């Protein structure tokens, strides 16, 4: 029995007009990608390679013309709660408390209050924000804000969680903690994830599969499977894990190729 | 021993009072009134005409209170202010919102609004008098007109300044257009709405005073105006003090708490 992928992208090519010059920018070239249920796919590539463009297309924030993109067999034609997005930063609403932010998606779906509050508490516990329910975002650290963002996305129970460099704006120590936490959360919720990053380490640590993008126009250069069971993915054990270090070095080599060839032009 | 403690605690209280915001204000006010009284009593030659003392103003207010005119003037003015101001703000918010949301609407109406914004309430006054006579309606229309623009323009710029990220995040959570307005754009525009409300109420105050003077409707503005005609300077000062005090009370008990509960609580502004 063949399993249908949750996210299917076929022959996707994308151009967009440059904001200032108006010239057409070739962002993505012939992307083919499947993400299966309960799979964690990390896309890594040099900056400006179109990986965020791809995520915005999947999120429905950016209309596309050439190619096919479906989630659960339905064509993507706009944003929807089936594709929750965790943005890099500054995306939780300052005028909502932690619990109001996390429950926002359910509120928009007009679920009963008791049901919202039950699920909000579940996710507050999951991301370790118990005791901060009534705080406002400006009272939280950068890491805590991202926990709220992750909980908000998960609480709406999307088919796939899209993450756009979610830990790029927090300090190195917090980032490691958040990556460990994300592993635990993904394991607990069995969520399907599409994760965009420019950090090779992060991609190798989190991804079941890492997709390496070429420089613009973004093409899929290689795909690397990283067969480490999720429960074994803990940072303190990683430096001694040859599967991780090999994959990391290989991805690093591939990404470097792209960056260097860019310099030679 | 006990008395020593009392002295220490009194000094402590005094120090706390003088460093406290409200304490400082009270000290400043008392100082100003003393200075005013001093100038009036010892420096100016005919204080009753040029600068009546605080006592004279209080006496004048007691006199007018006794005759019943003060309260009726005051409530007339406040009624116009509240009604005209509220209607102006209630019209201004949705129009500012519509302009902020829709490019087409903005392109059509923005230049028109910009044009009328520069034509002050006093400048349209004569036309309104021709239409509605020297009536309460005239005064009310001028107040409404004056208070409309600050709030409308501020809501417009407030809506446009809400980060696109917030809107995108709400859309990916499944928010409809109306839900985005309610949950993202309106709260996001709150700092500007607060500024606009302040300006609108301030402008409405000016309009009500000027309007009453020009239309000759009974109220604080007219009271000030007739004070000059009757050579009753204390009455003019009384009117001024009442306008100022009302604004401070309105600001302190209505606008400030509103801001404290919203934009300050949300960390959108620092105090």
């Amino acid at each position: 029995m063949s399993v249908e992928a949750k996210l299917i992208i076929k022959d996707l090519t994308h151009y967009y007009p440059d904001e200032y010059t108006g010239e057409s920018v070739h962002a993505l070239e012939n992307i083919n990608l499947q993400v299966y249920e309960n799979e964690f796919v990390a896309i890594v590539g040099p900056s400006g390679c179109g990986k965020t463009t791809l995520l915005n297309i999947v999120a429905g924030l950016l209309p596309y013309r050439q190619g096919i993109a479906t989630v659960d067999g339905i064509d993507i034609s706009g944003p929807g709660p089936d594709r929750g997005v965790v943005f890099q930063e500054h995306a939780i609403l300052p005028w909502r408390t932690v619990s109001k932010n996390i429950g926002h998606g359910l509120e928009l779906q007009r679920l009963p209050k008791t049901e919202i509050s039950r699920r909000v508490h579940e996710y507050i516990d999951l991301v370790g924000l118990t005791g901060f329910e009534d705080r406002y975002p400006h009272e939280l650290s950068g890491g805590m804000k991202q926990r709220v963002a992750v909980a908000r996305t998960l609480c709406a129970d999307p088919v796939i969680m899209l993450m756009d460099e979610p830990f790029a704006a927090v300090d190195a120590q917090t980032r490691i903690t958040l990556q460990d936490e994300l592993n635990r959360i993904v394991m607990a919720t069995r969520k399907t994830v599409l994760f965009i990053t420019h950090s090779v380490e992060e991609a190798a640590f989190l991804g079941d599969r890492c997709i390496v993008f070429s420089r613009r126009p973004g093409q899929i250069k290689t795909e690397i499977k990283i067969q480490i069971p999720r429960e074994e993915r803990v940072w303190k054990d990683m430096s001694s894990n040859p599967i991780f270090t090999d994959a990391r070095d290989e991805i690093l080599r591939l990404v470097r190729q792209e960056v260097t060839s860019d310099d030679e032009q | 021993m006990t008395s020593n403690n009392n002295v220490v605690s009194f000094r402590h209280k005094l120090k706390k009072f003088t460093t406290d915001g409200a304490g400082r204000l009270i000290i400043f006010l008392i100082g100003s009134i003393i200075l005013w009284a001093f100038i009036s009593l010892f420096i100016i030659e005919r204080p009753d005409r040029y600068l009546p003392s605080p006592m004279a103003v209080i006496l004048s207010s007691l006199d007018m209170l006794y005759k019943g005119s003060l309260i009726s003037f005051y409530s007339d003015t406040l009624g116009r202010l509240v009604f005209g101001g509220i209607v102006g703000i209630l019209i201004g918010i949705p129009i500012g919102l519509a302009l902020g949301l829709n490019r087409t609407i903005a392109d059509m109406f923005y230049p028109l609004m910009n044009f009328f914004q520069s034509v002050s309430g006093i400048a349209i006054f004569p036309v309104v008098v021709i239409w509605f006579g020297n009536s309460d309606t005239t005064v009310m229309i001028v107040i409404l007109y004056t208070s409309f623009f600050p709030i409308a323009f501020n809501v417009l710029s407030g809506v446009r300044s809400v980060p696109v990220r917030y809107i995108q995040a709400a859309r990916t959570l499944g928010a409809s257009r109306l839900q985005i307005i309610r949950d993202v754009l309106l709260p996001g525009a709150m700092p500007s709405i607060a500024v606009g409300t302040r300006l609108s109420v301030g402008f409405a105050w000016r309009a009500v005073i000027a309007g009453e003077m020009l239309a000759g409707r009974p109220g604080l503005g007219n009271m000030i105006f007739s004070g000059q005609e009757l050579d009753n300077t204390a009455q003019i000062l009384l009117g001024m003090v009442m306008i100022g005090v009302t604004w401070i009370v309105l600001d302190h008990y209505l606008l400030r708490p509103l801001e404290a509960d919203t934009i300050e609580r949300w960390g959108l502004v620092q105090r």
Side-chain angles (χ1 to χ4, degrees):
Chain A
M1 197 182 84
S2 74
V3 186
E4 185 78 339
K6 286 275 142 188
L7 170 69
I8 299 171
I9 294 168
K10 253 190 214 146
D11 307 327
L12 184 77
T13 296
H14 190 76
Y15 296 84
Y16 65 86
D18 185 275
E19 216 175 300
Y20 299 104
T21 62
E23 281 170 43
S24 186
V25 179
H26 192 176
L28 296 170
E29 173 59 34
N30 197 31
I31 303 291
N32 283 282
L33 175 69
Q34 275 104 41
V35 181
Y36 292 91
E37 179 150 32
N38 197 17
E39 194 183 24
F40 195 120
V41 172
I43 295 180
V44 63
S47 50
C49 72
K51 49 195 194 305
T52 294
T53 304
L54 178 67
L55 182 128
N56 282 336
I57 287 174
V58 176
L61 295 170
L62 204 61
Y64 60 98
R65 281 172 219 91
Q66 297 178 47
I68 295 168
T70 65
V71 165
D72 259 352
I74 300 159
D75 279 331
I76 293 168
S77 62
D82 55 332
R83 286 150 289 136
V85 185
V86 180
F87 296 98
Q88 186 174 335
E89 56 177 339
H90 305 311
I92 56 172
L93 300 177
W95 42 88
R96 286 180 164 253
T97 58
V98 167
S99 49
K100 280 281 197 176
N101 259 299
I102 295 175
H104 196 191
L106 301 180
E107 214 180 286
L108 294 170
Q109 291 169 34
R110 299 203 170 80
L111 258 67
K113 277 213 172 90
T114 48
E115 171 68 8
I116 295 177
S117 129
R118 188 186 65 74
R119 274 173 59 184
V120 165
H121 274 104
E122 188 185 315
Y123 284 96
I124 280 177
D125 287 346
L126 182 73
V127 298
L129 282 173
T130 311
F132 291 93
E133 290 86 348
D134 297 327
R135 296 294 183 88
Y136 283 88
H138 74 103
E139 299 168 306
L140 306 178
S141 68
M144 288 161 98
K145 284 182 200 166
Q146 284 313 76
R147 283 166 202 256
V148 176
V150 170
R152 173 176 74 170
T153 302
L154 288 173
C155 194
D157 197 22
V159 174
I160 182 167
M161 173 157 72
L162 311 173
M163 306 183 83
D164 187 9
E165 308 204 20
F167 309 141
V170 298
D171 62 86
Q173 281 308 309
T174 310
R175 190 174 311 138
I176 288 172
T177 316
L178 289 175
Q179 287 162 350
D180 272 334
E181 294 263 298
L182 181 63
N183 253 336
R184 184 178 56 75
I185 289 164
V186 167
M187 218 161 27
T189 57
R190 303 180 58 80
K191 269 293 157 209
T192 310
V193 183
L194 181 65
F195 192 101
I196 306 287
T197 180
H198 62 252
S199 157
V200 171
E201 293 238 318
E202 186 169 69
F205 177 65
L206 291 168
D208 296 314
R209 267 194 296 147
C210 284
I211 312 282
V212 181
F213 259 47
S214 72
R215 64 180 203 282
R216 205 163 64 202
Q219 282 172 292
I220 294 178
K221 193 180 162 84
T222 332
E223 177 181 312
I224 291 170
K225 281 203 165 73
I226 300 163
Q227 280 162 327
I228 306 171
R230 204 144 283 279
E231 51 271 27
E232 287 173 25
R233 294 179 188 235
V234 188
W235 268 122
K236 64 177 170 58
D237 303 336
M238 274 297 137
S239 53
S240 58
N241 188 324
I243 306 175
F244 168 75
T245 50
D246 288 355
R248 181 196 60 194
D249 295 348
E250 175 66 5
I251 299 165
L252 191 61
R253 193 181 60 78
L254 292 163
V255 173
R256 279 237 173 100
Q257 266 179 6
E258 287 306 312
V259 179
T260 334
S261 61
D262 201 33
D263 291 340
E264 281 162 5
Q265 275 193 333
Chain B
M1 192 65 199
T2 326
S3 72
N4 196 19
N5 269 349
N6 281 343
V7 170
V8 170
S9 107
F10 175 73
R11 272 191 192 152
H12 180 72
K13 275 182 188 161
L14 188 71
K15 194 174 177 198
K16 191 158 178 276
F17 180 74
T18 51
T19 49
D20 195 46
R24 282 179 180 166
L25 176 69
I26 289 168
I27 289 168
F28 174 75
L29 280 180
I30 291 172
S32 310
I33 290 169
I34 290 172
L35 186 70
W36 168 14
F38 181 80
I39 293 172
S40 171
L41 292 174
F42 299 109
I43 296 179
I44 290 185
E45 272 189 26
R46 278 188 55 203
D48 61 317
R49 177 161 168 78
Y50 294 107
L51 185 69
S53 71
M55 269 313 285
V57 173
I58 291 169
L59 282 176
S60 152
S61 75
L62 288 177
D63 180 49
M64 289 182 74
L65 265 179
Y66 180 70
K67 288 178 190 155
S69 53
L70 188 62
I71 292 193
S72 116
F73 285 162
Y74 189 65
S75 61
D76 280 354
T77 299
L78 213 59
R80 288 183 195 118
L81 174 81
V82 168
F83 184 77
I86 285 178
V87 173
I89 288 169
L90 287 184
I91 295 174
I93 289 178
I95 288 184
L97 196 64
L99 266 85
L101 287 174
N102 193 311
R103 278 272 159 206
T104 320
I105 296 179
D107 288 345
M108 286 195 295
F109 290 102
Y110 189 84
L112 195 71
M113 273 181 57
N114 225 351
F115 171 83
F116 278 109
Q117 188 203 19
S118 66
V119 183
S120 71
I122 302 307
I124 67 154
F125 199 86
V127 184
V128 186
V129 171
I130 291 170
W131 292 341
F132 297 99
N134 280 330
S135 63
D136 271 347
T137 317
T138 299
V139 180
M140 218 86 92
I141 286 173
V142 173
I143 299 169
L144 196 152
Y145 174 87
T146 318
S147 55
F148 166 78
F149 293 103
I151 187 77
F153 276 108
N154 273 286
V155 172
L156 163 67
S157 73
V159 167
R160 287 199 177 154
S161 69
V162 174
V164 180
R165 211 21 125 221
Y166 294 156
I167 300 164
Q168 289 181 331
R171 288 177 71 202
T172 60
L173 285 169
S176 67
R177 208 167 153 73
L178 266 173
Q179 285 171 326
I180 287 172
I181 294 173
R182 187 195 65 191
D183 292 355
V184 183
L185 294 174
L186 277 177
M190 266 309 277
S192 302
I193 293 177
V195 171
T197 305
R198 239 168 229 289
L199 286 172
S200 279
V201 176
F203 277 39
W205 249 131
R206 292 168 210 190
V208 72
I209 300 303
E212 283 174 4
M213 284 178 177
L214 291 169
R217 303 301 302 166
L220 281 187
N222 202 36
M223 178 180 128
I224 292 173
F225 206 55
S226 64
Q228 189 217 328
E229 283 172 357
L230 301 171
D231 221 2
N232 188 346
T233 315
Q235 188 178 310
I236 300 175
L237 290 187
L238 176 63
M240 284 163 58
V241 169
M242 287 181 74
I243 291 168
V245 169
T246 308
W247 172 245
I248 288 174
V249 170
L250 211 66
D251 183 60
H252 187 79
Y253 289 100
L254 210 72
L255 297 179
R256 287 282 312 119
L258 208 68
E259 285 173 358
D261 279 353
T262 55
I263 51 183
E264 277 169 41
R265 187 76 196 85
W266 304 336
L268 295 180
V269 287
Q270 260 95 45
R271 273 196 81 83

